[in-house]
Amino acid sequence: MVKIYIDSGHGGSDPGAVGNGLKEKNLTLQISTRIKEILSKEYQDVSIKMSRTGDTYPSLSDRTNQANAWGADFFLSIHINSGGGTGFESYIYPSSGTPATTYQSAIHSEVMKLVNFTDRGKKTANFHVLRKSTMPALLTENGFIDSSSDASKLKTTSFIEALARGHVNGLVKAFALKKVQEHENIEEKTFHTVVKGDTFYSIAKDYDTTVARLEVLNSTIDPTALPIGKKLIVHVIETIYYIVKKGDTVSALAEEYGSSINQIKAWNNLDSNYTIQIGKRLRVK
Ligand SMILES: [Zn+2]
């Protein structure tokens, strides 16, 4: 499980930068919220905590203390720039080294791929959230609120979406996140190499299966003349993984996949209440 702390810059009594009818605190919350939504919906084994989900002002220490106490793997702080410039830039703490530099490169380049912004480069700064977070941390400045051309982009939903998607794509690269797949079937085969004197009957006995099953699995082979050295399939074990959706129960899944409730409990180390969380990847067969 990768734990990502997403910090929406400013909030509440602190609007951050203001210009062209926009407030930084609202934009940072919009971008952060979309990053969280996309990650939670589309990627597995990722847990997200937000510094705020509404128009409130956690102090800078509140934010880093919370991320540190939670044991986040990454701290991502979203901001909007001001002061007479244009474009996108990202910051890590000075002399951070890897993996912070790797994460910065991944996120910076993925954002730049999706948005039509001037690239102001990968930078370092002694910001509180970068200095006081105990995990690798990145702060992005997503355009200048006092630039009319940046501001007009930031006013469109599609641009906010592209910024969020760029951050997500970078996080996916940095942490090798995997897409949620509702079903994942894995087939594991066991083989036997034919030696002189083998028959389907003798092989079935050795591998605890049946002649009928061997015939099905090796339908192209003439059972009356087994070719010596040929690899026969003797067992196929099908494993199915399933991503838990709202309303799922272990008993319903057991019935659907022809497994027992106790098998599903054992495969997934479930507690005695058979608790399953939405988004969890369960082995169901
Ligand atoms: Zn800011």
Side-chain angles (χ1 to χ4, degrees):
M1 182 66 76
V2 177
K3 294 162 93 175
I4 296 172
Y5 188 88
I6 304 175
D7 173 33
S8 315
H10 313 275
S13 57
D14 169 20
V18 176
N20 291 299
L22 293 169
K23 286 179 182 163
E24 180 180 0
K25 66 175 182 178
N26 298 331
L27 294 168
T28 61
L29 186 61
Q30 283 172 27
I31 299 166
S32 304
T33 304
R34 282 303 295 151
I35 294 173
K36 178 202 158 70
E37 285 171 356
I38 297 168
L39 280 175
S40 325
K41 190 164 163 241
E42 298 181 15
Y43 292 89
Q44 48 179 292
D45 292 326
V46 58
S47 178
I48 294 144
K49 201 182 265 300
M50 307 274 287
S51 62
R52 62 186 179 94
T53 54
D55 190 18
T56 56
Y57 181 71
S59 71
L60 296 178
S61 304
D62 289 342
R63 299 171 200 234
T64 46
N65 288 345
Q66 191 183 34
N68 295 346
W70 184 46
D73 296 302
F74 191 59
F75 190 107
L76 175 62
S77 190
I78 304 292
H79 285 256
I80 310 293
N81 230 328
S82 71
T86 179
F88 177 82
E89 60 195 20
S90 65
Y91 290 91
I92 56 173
Y93 190 68
S95 322
S96 293
T98 54
T101 48
T102 318
Y103 299 158
Q104 180 180 30
S105 292
I107 294 167
H108 191 104
S109 66
E110 291 299 320
V111 169
M112 285 310 305
K113 276 184 200 170
L114 293 190
V115 298
N116 174 27
F117 259 160
T118 306
D119 189 345
R120 298 172 60 84
K122 292 173 275 187
K123 303 180 175 182
T124 62
N126 184 13
F127 295 143
H128 174 101
V129 293
L130 303 179
R131 184 176 65 249
K132 292 292 188 182
S133 46
T134 53
M135 66 294 303
L138 180 75
L139 185 146
T140 60
E141 293 279 7
N142 299 271
F144 282 69
I145 211 160
D146 53 353
S147 143
S148 59
S149 87
D150 285 9
S152 71
K153 290 172 187 168
L154 291 166
K155 282 176 185 170
T156 68
T157 314
S158 59
F159 197 83
I160 297 293
E161 188 67 18
L163 279 169
R165 181 64 70 174
H167 283 82
V168 167
N169 292 348
L171 289 166
V172 166
K173 268 202 176 156
F175 293 94
L177 299 177
K178 288 209 193 79
K179 279 231 160 194
V180 166
Q181 288 171 285
E182 190 173 309
H183 290 95
E184 188 185 339
N185 293 44
I186 298 168
E187 270 191 358
E188 215 178 307
K189 291 181 176 144
T190 309
F191 296 96
H192 170 78
T193 305
V194 176
V195 295
K196 199 161 181 254
D198 276 347
T199 62
F200 270 4
Y201 179 77
S202 69
I203 296 166
K205 251 177 78 177
D206 287 349
Y207 287 89
D208 195 22
T209 181
T210 63
V211 170
R213 179 76 175 145
L214 290 178
E215 284 174 355
V216 169
L217 294 176
N218 303 279
S219 57
T220 59
I221 298 198
D222 175 4
T224 62
L226 293 182
I228 289 166
K230 179 88 187 167
K231 271 174 96 180
L232 300 180
I233 304 166
V234 290
H235 281 296
V236 176
I237 300 166
E238 191 188 23
T239 308
I240 301 179
Y241 290 92
Y242 173 84
I243 305 293
V244 175
K245 290 200 303 262
K246 202 176 171 187
D248 283 334
T249 62
V250 172
S251 60
L253 290 170
E255 196 174 323
E256 190 180 337
Y257 289 94
S259 305
S260 76
I261 292 175
N262 281 326
Q263 278 175 321
I264 293 180
K265 183 183 178 213
W267 288 330
N268 302 286
N269 293 315
L270 299 181
D271 62 24
S272 53
N273 295 320
Y274 301 92
T275 312
I276 48 173
Q277 281 148 342
I278 295 169
K280 187 180 159 71
R281 183 170 175 268
L282 277 191
R283 180 176 165 192
V284 290
K285 186 183 170 144

